[in-house]
Amino acid sequence: MKYSVLVLALVLLVSVLASCGGSPSVTTTPPTTSPTGMPQYRPIDVVAVTGPISPINPGGPTVEITLHNSGSEPVVALTATLEMARAYEFDFAVTAASPMAAGQTVSVRQTLIGGGISSGTSYQLKINATLQSGSDIEYTVSVQISEPSAK
């Protein structure tokens, strides 16, 4: 009985070691997050999140988000999701036919139907971008919505 248990244990050990001995996977594009989940590469900077913008809409405030491509590669798709009581997705007019070049800044305005802004409150802004090389970038930053400057 002792020998059969020992043989069974050795067979299990050998089979486990054999299954772990496969070749490692290779990634063709660099990862955008580290093992801790923190982004390693953030090519899109938040310049401003501004609101409410006139004219005041009774359905909800109008907010403008301005983003800057601080990377070295054009961006071919770009969205930002502002997390409030619900999520509001801002779709920037960035496509493969009309990319956001390195160093370029883009803005988009949207009325947040049913939304409300609290002064001094931080909100999460999730940025999703696709670079010209095909790399997908996704990360979340904390932002505050500032009042528009008087012009």
Side-chain angles (χ1 to χ4, degrees):
M1 179 75 175
K2 279 176 136 178
Y3 293 112
S4 60
V5 171
L6 183 59
V7 169
L8 180 60
L10 281 172
V11 168
L12 285 172
L13 179 63
V14 168
S15 64
V16 167
L17 289 174
S19 68
C20 293
S23 61
S25 62
V26 177
T27 304
T28 56
T29 57
T32 58
T33 58
S34 68
T36 61
M38 293 299 296
Q40 294 175 343
Y41 181 55
R42 294 183 174 196
I44 306 298
D45 294 327
V46 178
V47 175
V49 181
T50 309
I53 296 173
S54 294
I56 301 302
N57 184 331
T62 299
V63 171
E64 181 176 58
I65 297 178
T66 304
L67 302 177
H68 175 78
N69 181 356
S70 60
S72 60
E73 187 175 348
V75 175
V76 297
L78 181 61
T79 61
T81 304
L82 185 60
E83 301 287 339
M84 302 178 87
R86 61 175 268 225
Y88 296 93
E89 185 172 296
F90 290 71
D91 189 11
F92 292 80
V94 174
T95 64
S98 180
M100 178 184 183
Q104 187 177 359
T105 300
V106 294
S107 296
V108 67
R109 285 184 182 186
Q110 181 172 310
T111 300
L112 310 181
I113 302 298
I117 298 172
S118 296
S119 179
T121 301
S122 290
Y123 300 98
Q124 297 301 304
L125 183 67
K126 183 178 179 182
I127 297 171
N128 290 290
T130 301
L131 304 180
Q132 194 170 45
S133 65
S135 295
D136 290 320
I137 306 293
E138 180 180 300
Y139 53 91
T140 302
V141 295
S142 184
V143 297
Q144 288 191 350
I145 300 173
S146 60
E147 292 185 25
S149 58
K151 292 183 179 180

